[in-house]
Amino acid sequence: GAVVSQHPSRVICKSGTSVKIECRSLDFQATTMFWYRQFPKQSLMLMATSNEGSKATYEQGVEKDKFLINHASLTLSTLTVTSAHPEDSSFYICSASTSGAREQYFGPGTRLTVT
Amino acid sequence: EDQVTQSPEALRLQEGESSSLNCSYTVSGLRGLFWYRQDPGKGPEFLFTLYSAGEEKEKERLKATLTKKESFLHITAPKPEDSATYLCAVYQTGANNLFFGTGTRLTVIP
């Protein structure tokens, strides 16, 4: 149980374009979903927290107009990277929870490369 | 300033050579310390949660312990398949997220 999927697993896009990443909880309803970014050899940095049906809460330094998060249902959250630039290239990981930050189930991650 | 520090940054072991990974923390109001395993290009996989000093948990070759200042992940007689990055994270009073350390990259050589 508690399986979280992400799609796509890898994506390459051109600079200036937008790309959408999906995060799904497959066998449970997630009231909260978290989006992280991980650069090579670095740890997970929380970008934002989203609760179903409400606006996401972004961490300091994360541009909410650049990283659009939608959590329209209890099983799906999306992260859209708008006007992507090479410095946005990273590994994006989502997690889902039924009970807040303490119990998070992580997805397999999405490798974004912006050329 | 709240911090989570993991050491060593990288560790190479011979198969069967036991060792320990360290996670030290300086956060107020610890409500839980988590250990995860992360394979390259994958998301973190949950291993353990520890809630109070003195608590220990075991799973196969891994044992996690917790004091008031740090946690250890002991690996006994490791195998090559134990090679991964091990992350610790803390959950503290008043926070709504986990705060991760930078991880220890473990390589077990056959």
Side-chain angles (χ1 to χ4, degrees), chain B residues 17-92:
Chain B
E17 179 186 2
S18 301
S19 188
S20 297
L21 284 55
N22 178 265
C23 171
S24 62
Y25 61 92
T26 53
V27 299
S28 57
L30 180 75
R31 296 179 62 187
L33 186 141
F34 299 77
W35 282 99
Y36 293 88
R37 168 191 171 128
Q38 186 178 24
D39 292 299
K42 303 291 184 182
E45 174 189 344
F46 172 78
L47 294 174
F48 303 107
T49 308
L50 302 167
Y51 293 104
S52 58
E55 189 175 0
E56 297 183 353
K57 289 193 176 174
E58 285 188 69
K59 179 181 179 181
E60 296 180 353
R61 295 178 292 282
L62 299 176
K63 182 169 83 172
T65 62
L66 180 66
T67 72
K68 290 185 178 179
K69 294 183 178 180
E70 59 193 348
S71 177
F72 290 94
L73 185 65
H74 307 278
I75 182 161
T76 304
K79 298 182 177 181
E81 53 262 41
D82 295 322
S83 297
T85 295
Y86 291 85
L87 299 167
C88 74
V90 299
Y91 179 61
Q92 61 183 123

Side-chain angles (χ1 to χ4, degrees), chain A residues 34 36 38 41-44 46 49 59 91 93 101-102 104 106-109 111, chain B residues 31 34 36 38 41-44 51 87 91 95-98 100-103 105:
Chain A
F34 303 83
Y36 294 84
Q38 186 176 35
K41 297 187 178 181
Q42 294 188 24
S43 194
L44 281 72
L46 180 68
T49 303
E59 294 300 299
F91 192 53
I93 304 172
R102 190 164 61 181
Q104 297 183 39
F106 287 85
R111 173 73 60 193
Chain B
R31 296 179 62 187
F34 299 77
Y36 293 88
Q38 186 178 24
K42 303 291 184 182
Y51 293 104
L87 299 167
Y91 179 61
N96 60 355
N97 58 276
L98 296 178
F100 281 85
T102 52
R105 294 191 308 279

